Structure formats: C-alpha cells, structure tokens
Amino acid sequence: MPVTASYRAFVLERLQRALPDVRTRDMFGGVGFYAGATFFALIGNDVLYFKVDDHTRRDYEARGMRAFRPFGEGGEVMRYFEVPVEVIEDADTLRQWADAAVQVGRRSKQRPGKRAV
C-alpha cells in the first residue's frame, strides 16, 4: 500500500481545510487519518478512502466507488470506500463527506465488534 509523499501532503492539506484537528499516522505501508481521536480515513496506493456505514455507503456506490480491500480483489472487504476525485477537489463537498466519515467513525466506536461491510 505505498503512498507517495506528494499525494499524502495534498490530501492532508485538503482535509485540514475541511475539518479541524486532522492528523495522520503511518500504518502498514499506508496512512491513517484522524479527526481528534476518531479514525475516519486512510490512503492506500495513493487512493483516499473514507469510513462508511449502511447510510453513507450508497453515496459511494452510486458514483461507482469501490471498497478498500487490503489483500487484493479476493481478500477481505473493509468499511472504507474510495473518495471520488471531484469530492477531494471541491472544498464544500469534501467537508460534508469528511464530516460524515468522522460521524461514522464515532458511531462505530460506540458499537464494538461490527467490522464487516
């Protein structure tokens, strides 16, 4: 899951404009994003993924976005979906989508044990 320094910097800059208190952490070759103590996004192979649940997933699927699969196409599906490039590039839309991902992250912390899509 390599991540280039330029893509990481680009995404971090965009997210810091959208949300307060965004920070990153290296993880398993990728990058994790936190808003405060809430994990809500990750980058793998220079693709940004936001955390989803049953309510937000449909927005991603409607745009043809794919789930994060850390072990390839035949592997486990995680509750993170690709963020469309046009969302990353539009500050207002990015703020809405990022805030929704943070809310999903906060809700999932309250319900331990739910990891499948």
Side-chain angles (χ1 to χ4, degrees), residues 68-111:
F68 178 61
R69 293 176 179 263
F71 304 109
E73 287 303 313
E76 176 186 6
V77 176
M78 295 185 69
R79 291 177 23 163
Y80 294 85
F81 267 72
E82 294 177 278
V83 179
V85 173
E86 60 271 15
V87 169
I88 298 170
E89 293 176 345
D90 182 278
D92 292 330
T93 306
L94 180 61
R95 184 174 298 110
Q96 293 169 2
W97 283 49
D99 185 55
V102 170
Q103 296 306 316
V104 169
R106 287 182 181 146
R107 286 192 299 268
S108 70
K109 283 169 57 173
Q110 297 169 356
R111 293 179 278 153

Side-chain angles (χ1 to χ4, degrees), residues 18 20 53 59 61 84-85 88:
D53 63 10
D59 294 331
E61 291 173 336
V85 173
I88 298 170

Side-chain angles (χ1 to χ4, degrees), residues 31-66:
V31 178
F33 287 82
Y34 294 80
T38 304
F39 186 78
F40 73 98
L42 59 89
I43 296 176
N45 295 319
D46 282 354
V47 176
L48 175 63
Y49 297 87
F50 279 167
K51 190 168 187 78
V52 301
D53 63 10
D54 292 339
H55 301 289
T56 60
R57 183 182 306 110
R58 63 182 141 225
D59 294 331
Y60 296 83
E61 291 173 336
R63 292 180 183 232
M65 299 294 96
R66 297 171 41 171

